[in-house]
Amino acid sequence: MATATLSPADTDKLSNLKSAVAGLSQISENEKNGFINLVSRYLSGEAQHVEWSKIQTPTDEVVVPYDSLAPTPKASSEVKSLLDKLVVLKLNGGLGTTMGCTGPKSVIEVRDGLTFLDLIVIQIENLNAKYGSNVPLLLMNSFNTHDDTQKIVEKYKSSNIEIHTFNQSQYPRLVVDDFLPFPSKGQTGRDGWYPPGHGDVFPSLLNSGKLDALLSQGKEYVFVANSDNLGAVVDLKILNHLIQNKNEYCMEVTPKTLADVKGGTLISYEGRVQLLEIAQVPDEHVNEFKSIEKFKIFNTNNLWVNLKAVKRLVEADALKMEIIPNPKEVDGVKVLQLETAAGAAIRFFDKAIGINVPRSRFLPVKATSDLLLVQSDLYTLQDGFVTRNPARANPENPSIELGPEFKKVSNFLNRFKSIPSIVELDSLKVAGDVWFGAGVVLKGKVSIVAKSGVKLEIPDKAVIANKEINGPEDL
């Protein structure tokens, strides 16, 4: 605990907070201790300051090019022995609210009536069936997604994979005015609480008992990824490399495009590899941080971590990741959430590396514009894997900007009779009351912005190439 460096005022704050938290019956002792520890670190100003002059670009030994990895073993018995050391863990704490959906985001239908979770299960089922392996699936839920997820996983009972769920911690939001927990001031519903970011995956694995159970089954590595990243599939070359080289931690990174300039990047710093996030960058260096020339790669949040190392570091309370303060307002009350990110843990593990992977391993669906990409002819779906259509010449995906009329999944689906062909599209902007017919083809740079009060219907089988459309007369 970092109480030694606290001012008298902060010591009082922490003492009052401890008393209040002790009275919260909804959470475990582990959660209470974890929360107080986090707040104590926050109050002591333990923020990690980066000295810009000490930052070095990582070498190929530290950020390994994917193409330099050894090929996967040919014999299926060797592949089976690799897979039997693996656990797949999907971060499943997020709700689909930003896309207008209720319940966990992982149950949004992505393609052909299949949800994120369906695709994940199909992928692992196929792996286990092909090699006779037993790769289990773990879902880390939050208190927001737990009940729904328990019901949803029932439908996979007959599959050939073990599915385990566990909850990440539940921490009380802090009221900014008096630094007391929101639930002890009358906010007894869900709004009084928050899940403290995916950095919590490591202590939660241990506290839930899952970590010890996996170690006793001979599991060695966990592949952690966001449930909405369709590119985060098991990669045998990566797994083989980590086992051969005894790397305790691996972060998949991929080359930045202009869309990723805010993403965290890997740096070499004082002899260790670590994640540098935009929040840690001094103001005068932000533009440099965003430059694709200087910082060429960013974190995909696909992480491979050695389970024994997780146990060692969590038990030693050594994972002191940078704290991300997240201020919010709930019912007119200003509150604070303190969070951590799993990628920031890289600097605490031995022989930690990055692997510079192809962009295909980063295909997140954060908004309906991403859904348009993955539901279109730009991708195909086979055995649960979403693969890019080789007919597209441009290695980059088209940029897509959809107006607020398309923000909710239900509205988005209603406005397209069928998803247009976009294999030859460079960019698309759609705004206003626009409706698409079936079999529409979009090519080049297309802008369809309906004038206010005008309903604009794109007819069936229309081919629109390098065109700006503002009304029916432009079609």
Side-chain angles (χ1 to χ4, degrees):
M1 297 266 280
T3 40
T5 52
L6 292 185
S7 69
D10 283 344
T11 305
D12 285 350
K13 264 187 191 175
L14 194 63
S15 174
N16 293 337
L17 183 64
K18 271 186 193 168
S19 307
V21 168
L24 297 174
S25 57
Q26 303 93 321
I27 56 175
S28 68
E29 287 306 307
N30 276 333
E31 286 169 314
K32 290 175 185 177
N33 293 336
F35 176 66
I36 292 297
N37 206 337
L38 192 63
V39 175
S40 167
R41 281 177 53 215
Y42 172 72
L43 286 173
S44 70
E46 200 194 274
Q48 198 222 357
H49 296 291
V50 175
E51 277 189 54
W52 201 254
S53 59
K54 289 186 178 176
I55 291 176
Q56 292 179 304
T57 303
T59 62
D60 282 359
E61 283 78 51
V62 178
V63 176
V64 181
Y66 182 81
D67 292 342
S68 75
L69 300 180
T72 306
K74 289 278 187 286
S76 67
S77 59
E78 287 184 67
V79 174
K80 178 187 184 306
S81 79
L82 282 178
L83 287 172
D84 283 341
K85 294 173 179 165
L86 182 68
V87 182
V88 173
L89 191 160
K90 297 290 179 175
L91 302 170
N92 189 51
L95 294 166
T97 40
T98 50
M99 292 169 77
C101 299
T102 53
K105 188 178 177 186
S106 57
V107 299
I108 292 175
E109 286 188 7
V110 182
R111 193 171 168 129
D112 302 354
L114 298 169
T115 66
F116 289 107
L117 210 45
D118 293 337
L119 295 177
I120 291 161
V121 169
I122 292 166
Q123 289 162 13
I124 300 175
E125 270 185 328
N126 286 331
L127 263 184
N128 285 343
K130 185 174 179 182
Y131 296 106
S133 54
N134 175 25
V135 177
L137 171 64
L138 265 71
L139 299 172
M140 182 170 85
N141 303 322
S142 66
F143 61 88
N144 287 316
T145 59
H146 174 74
D147 293 349
D148 287 338
T149 302
Q150 293 303 91
K151 291 183 198 125
I152 291 154
V153 296
E154 286 290 309
K155 75 175 192 180
Y156 306 119
K157 265 200 166 145
S158 58
S159 72
N160 68 352
I161 60 173
E162 285 177 35
I163 300 178
H164 303 271
T165 62
F166 68 102
N167 267 17
Q168 76 172 112
S169 305
Q170 175 174 335
Y171 286 176
R173 285 173 160 157
L174 277 169
V175 177
V176 172
D177 277 352
D178 55 12
F179 223 68
L180 288 175
F182 206 10
S184 59
K185 303 192 69 173
Q187 180 50 268
T188 50
R190 281 190 175 180
D191 282 349
W193 306 89
Y194 76 100
H198 46 59
D200 186 55
V201 64
F202 304 119
S204 293
L205 258 178
L206 183 71
N207 293 339
S208 64
K210 298 295 179 194
L211 183 55
D212 287 330
L214 293 165
L215 285 168
S216 70
Q217 292 166 21
K219 303 300 179 189
E220 291 181 22
Y221 279 88
V222 59
F223 173 40
V224 180
N226 295 344
S227 60
D228 64 5
N229 179 6
L230 295 172
V233 299
V234 170
D235 188 292
L236 293 166
K237 275 172 73 170
I238 294 177
L239 179 61
N240 185 43
H241 182 88
L242 301 179
I243 290 170
Q244 298 300 323
N245 292 278
K246 298 184 168 58
N247 302 108
E248 286 191 348
Y249 187 110
C250 165
M251 175 187 288
E252 292 185 39
V253 294
T254 199
K256 270 186 189 179
T257 67
L258 290 171
D260 318 304
V261 291
K262 289 182 178 173
T265 191
L266 279 186
I267 57 170
S268 287
Y269 192 79
E270 297 184 328
R272 287 185 90 83
V273 61
Q274 76 176 56
L275 182 67
L276 178 66
E277 297 275 19
I278 195 163
Q280 296 165 271
V281 177
D283 290 348
E284 64 272 23
H285 293 291
V286 166
N287 286 339
E288 193 181 341
F289 175 82
K290 289 181 178 178
S291 117
I292 292 175
E293 288 70 40
K294 173 87 188 271
F295 296 101
K296 296 186 169 79
I297 52 173
F298 77 100
N299 170 23
T300 63
N301 219 39
N302 298 348
L303 310 169
W304 302 73
V305 193
N306 180 281
L307 292 168
K308 279 185 182 160
V310 171
K311 184 174 168 71
R312 181 187 81 234
L313 291 166
V314 173
E315 286 182 342
D317 194 24
L319 293 178
K320 297 188 185 299
M321 283 92 88
E322 291 71 34
I323 295 170
I324 306 156
N326 187 356
K328 301 245 175 192
E329 194 166 307
V330 183
D331 300 335
V333 180
K334 287 187 167 58
V335 294
L336 185 63
Q337 299 180 183
L338 301 178
E339 303 173 11
T340 60
I346 189 167
R347 64 193 176 94
F348 301 103
F349 288 83
D350 293 334
K351 297 188 78 171
I353 59 166
I355 293 182
N356 195 347
V357 298
R359 182 76 186 197
S360 57
R361 294 190 56 74
F362 184 67
L363 185 58
V365 179
K366 301 289 183 195
T368 49
S369 51
D370 301 319
L371 214 46
L372 175 58
L373 288 174
V374 298
Q375 291 188 352
S376 74
D377 57 352
L378 200 54
Y379 288 92
T380 54
L381 180 64
Q382 196 175 359
D383 299 335
F385 297 98
V386 177
T387 329
R388 208 150 177 278
N389 184 343
R392 179 167 175 89
N394 184 343
E396 289 195 13
N397 278 344
S399 70
I400 294 182
E401 191 186 327
L402 300 177
E405 301 79 7
F406 291 80
K407 187 179 179 188
K408 291 185 174 178
V409 173
S410 54
N411 296 346
F412 164 83
L413 293 172
N414 285 339
R415 287 177 177 273
F416 289 100
K417 251 198 225 173
S418 72
I419 298 295
S421 165
I422 60 171
V423 172
E424 295 177 57
L425 181 71
D426 293 323
S427 67
L428 173 66
K429 181 180 178 176
V430 184
D433 191 12
V434 180
W435 300 77
F436 287 81
V440 173
V441 179
L442 303 173
K443 300 180 180 185
K445 292 183 176 170
V446 176
S447 170
I448 305 171
V449 180
K451 294 179 187 128
S452 180
V454 174
K455 181 178 182 180
L456 182 50
E457 297 186 75
I458 309 298
D460 292 354
K461 299 198 169 137
V463 177
I464 302 170
N466 293 308
K467 211 167 180 189
E468 248 184 74
I469 296 171
N470 299 111
E473 65 282 359
D474 298 325
L475 286 164

